[in-house]
Amino acid sequence: IFGGSKTFPGAHPWQVAVLYRPKGQSGAFHLKCGGSLISSCWVLTAAHCIEAENEYQVVLGGVRLDKQEEMDQTIPVIQTIMHESYRETHEAVYNDVALLKLKVTDSPYCAKETRFVRTVCLPDQSFPAGKECVISGWGATETQAYSNHLLNARVLLISDKRCKAPQVYGSVLDNSMFCAGILQGGVDSCQGDSGGPLVCESDGTHYITGVVSWGINCGEKNKPGVYANVQAFTSWIKSRMN
Ligand code: 4AZ
C-alpha cells in the first residue's frame, strides 16, 4: 500500500494473507497475495494469485507477517477455483477473481468468528464515483517490497468515463474492473496487495466492492489501481460456493 498507515488488530477482520509454497515441499509458506473472508470456509482473492504448482494456506486475524500472533488463525486451502474467463493480456487483466475453499477445522466451521476475524458482505449495490472506500494489504510501499505490518489507505472510486480516458487506461478497461485511487497519485495498492480487499461502507455495513488486480506501477499520477468489480461476479461467486 502506497500512502497508507498502520492498522490495528480487528480493523479489517476479513483481511486474509494468502501464503504459498511449491507443492511437495516442506519449508515455510510465504506471502503471495491478500484476500477477503466472505464466509467461514471461503476466501475471495485474485485469479492471478493462483498457480496450480503451489500449495496455499491463509492467515486470518493478524496484522504482522513476521511472527505468529495470539489472534491468528492459520487454515489450509483445500481447493482453488479460478474464474473460467480469467485472462491476462499485455495491457490488462480480465475477470481476475478466484475462490479459495478452506479446510474445516471445527465442524461446520473453517474460520471461527472472533473480535479479529469476521466476514465481509458481497455487494448488493454499486457505489457512486467519488465514494471513499478503503484498501488494505502487506504489499509494497514507497520504501519497501513488503510491509511487515498490515497497512490501509482511503481511496476514491473513479468513474469508468474518467478511467477510460486516453491519458489514464483508455479502452482496455471492461465491466469486470473499475479504477480507484487518487488521480493526482501518491495513494494506491501495489504488488503484494493483489487479491486483497477494497471495502466500501454503507449504513454501517462493509461491502467487498473490489479485489486488488493490476495497474501501471503504483501511486503514479493518472495511473490509479484497477480492481476486479465484485458486483459483476456475485452470481458466479454464489454458484461456485454451492
Ligand atoms: C501487482 O503487480 C499490482 N497500483 C497490484 C496493484 C497495482 C499495481 C500492480 C495497482 O500485483
Side-chain angles (χ1 to χ4, degrees):
I1 301 282
F2 269 48
S5 43
K6 285 188 177 178
T7 65
F8 54 89
H12 303 281
W14 38 79
Q15 173 82 48
V16 168
V18 177
L19 312 185
Y20 80 102
R21 78 177 173 198
K23 262 208 175 99
Q25 286 193 202
S26 57
F29 282 81
H30 291 284
L31 183 73
K32 178 68 189 183
C33 275
S36 302
L37 188 70
I38 55 170
S39 77
S40 175
C41 294
W42 290 94
V43 165
L44 179 66
T45 187
H48 85 258
C49 294
I50 305 305
E51 292 163 52
E53 312 78 66
N54 291 332
E55 258 180 85
Y56 295 92
Q57 63 174 213
V58 300
V59 182
L60 293 144
V63 294
R64 292 190 55 166
L65 270 188
D66 60 338
K67 62 161 196 167
Q68 283 255 99
E69 296 167 283
E70 315 74 64
M71 55 278 199
D72 282 357
Q73 295 181 37
T74 301
I75 309 179
V77 171
I78 57 166
Q79 190 189 359
T80 61
I81 305 176
M82 288 159 76
H83 196 282
E84 296 74 14
S85 302
Y86 159 62
R87 187 165 57 90
E88 215 170 317
T89 70
H90 287 299
E91 297 190 297
V93 190
Y94 297 90
N95 304 301
D96 194 11
V97 289
L99 287 165
L100 307 178
K101 188 177 189 182
L102 307 183
K103 182 178 168 155
V104 173
T105 54
D106 183 10
S107 184
Y109 299 107
C110 300
K112 268 155 293 184
E113 189 171 327
T114 66
R115 274 170 62 205
F116 308 105
V117 175
R118 243 190 90 176
T119 56
V120 65
C121 294
L122 290 174
D124 54 9
Q125 61 188 313
S126 52
F127 291 99
K131 167 90 176 167
E132 190 179 89
C133 299
V134 175
I135 54 174
S136 48
W138 289 273
T141 71
E142 301 87 327
T143 54
Q144 50 189 170
Y146 284 98
S147 170
N148 237 326
H149 200 103
L150 183 63
L151 301 181
N152 69 5
R154 298 164 189 270
V155 291
L156 304 178
L157 304 185
I158 297 169
S159 71
D160 289 344
K161 183 169 188 258
R162 289 185 83 179
C163 209
K164 285 179 177 174
Q167 74 273 24
V168 185
Y169 287 117
S171 55
V172 302
L173 292 199
D174 74 2
N175 291 335
S176 76
M177 54 188 102
F178 66 86
C179 301
I182 306 292
L183 280 176
Q184 299 92 304
V187 182
D188 200 2
S189 52
C190 199
Q191 201 159 40
D193 295 319
S194 284
L198 178 149
V199 166
C200 306
E201 194 202 307
S202 174
D203 292 330
T205 303
H206 293 86
Y207 296 94
I208 175 69
T209 301
V211 172
V212 178
S213 179
W214 63 278
I216 294 183
N217 302 322
C218 305
E220 275 190 21
K221 183 176 186 274
N222 281 331
K223 300 295 169 199
V226 186
Y227 297 79
N229 180 9
V230 178
Q231 169 112 68
F233 297 109
T234 52
S235 23
W236 179 83
I237 292 167
K238 288 175 186 167
S239 72
R240 286 315 171 126
M241 285 168 60
N242 281 326

